[in-house]
Amino acid sequence: IVLPNQATAEELQASKQPTEDSLDLAAWKDEMPEKDAEEIESIFRTDEEIAHKEAIFNSLNKDYLVQQERKESERAKEEVSAQDKQDDELAQAEGHARYVKSKTGRKRRKDGPEGETQTTEEALLAAVSTRKISRKINYDAMSSLFGEDGGFST
């Protein structure tokens, strides 16, 4: 390859060699002597000769061909089993993800409605007041558990 900017004057001149014509194979065969044509034809095998040579090759190399087929089938089975294993692991991971609880958990409310921190007594009374009143809970005894500051009394 000659780059136009880097070519010498001689390289830019047209070629002095005559261009060759394309070869017409049929005309070439016709002009060839009969003896040479037979010799060239004897080089190429017929379909029957090809089938015969292939049968000989297969019989001589039968063990090798069987071994190669076995290796190929084992490789294909391994690929299928690897794909199945990968699919099973993916399905198992998806199933596991469905049953694993999220780490976020329930957020607890620390502040009262006005934004002030509630005492334990206030929080307990607020929780009880929002729910149904039960006959099994002694609310007076529950109130007596707390002191005046909202902490537990002893």
Side-chain angles (χ1 to χ4, degrees):
I1 298 177
V2 178
L3 298 173
N5 297 339
Q6 298 175 355
T8 63
E10 185 180 352
E11 291 173 334
L12 293 174
Q13 291 178 357
S15 175
K16 296 178 183 175
Q17 294 288 331
T19 57
E20 296 182 24
D21 293 331
S22 61
L23 179 64
D24 183 13
L25 188 60
W28 179 75
K29 274 185 151 183
D30 291 339
E31 293 174 3
M32 187 182 299
E34 186 70 28
K35 180 182 170 194
D36 293 337
E38 289 175 6
E39 188 176 332
I40 289 176
E41 287 295 326
S42 69
I43 293 174
F44 300 108
R45 293 193 172 99
T46 64
D47 292 338
E48 294 171 3
E49 289 176 329
I50 291 171
H52 180 68
K53 292 281 186 179
E54 189 175 332
I56 292 171
F57 176 84
N58 289 341
S59 66
L60 290 175
N61 298 305
K62 182 178 182 181
D63 295 336
Y64 175 77
L65 295 173
V66 168
Q67 184 182 18
Q68 291 302 314
E69 287 177 7
R70 189 176 331 115
K71 283 182 181 179
E72 182 64 28
S73 66
E74 287 175 3
R75 187 186 60 78
K77 287 178 185 177
E78 288 175 2
E79 286 179 4
V80 168
S81 67
Q83 182 64 33
D84 289 345
K85 183 179 178 182
Q86 186 178 10
D87 291 344
D88 288 345
E89 289 174 354
L90 182 62
Q92 190 175 23
E94 288 174 357
H96 180 70
R98 276 188 253 142
Y99 295 107
V100 174
K101 291 183 179 180
S102 66
K103 301 281 184 189
T104 58
R106 193 172 76 173
K107 293 185 179 179
R108 297 183 182 187
R109 189 170 164 185
K110 293 183 180 180
D111 294 338
E114 298 85 28
E116 299 174 8
T117 305
Q118 295 179 339
T119 62
T120 311
E121 181 181 15
E122 291 171 347
L124 183 60
L125 291 175
V128 170
S129 67
T130 58
R131 296 190 178 121
K132 292 182 180 179
I133 297 177
S134 172
R135 290 187 213 167
K136 296 179 181 178
I137 297 175
N138 185 347
Y139 293 100
D140 293 329
M142 188 171 58
S143 294
S144 68
L145 289 175
F146 301 102
E148 293 190 20
D149 62 348
F152 289 107
S153 65
T154 53

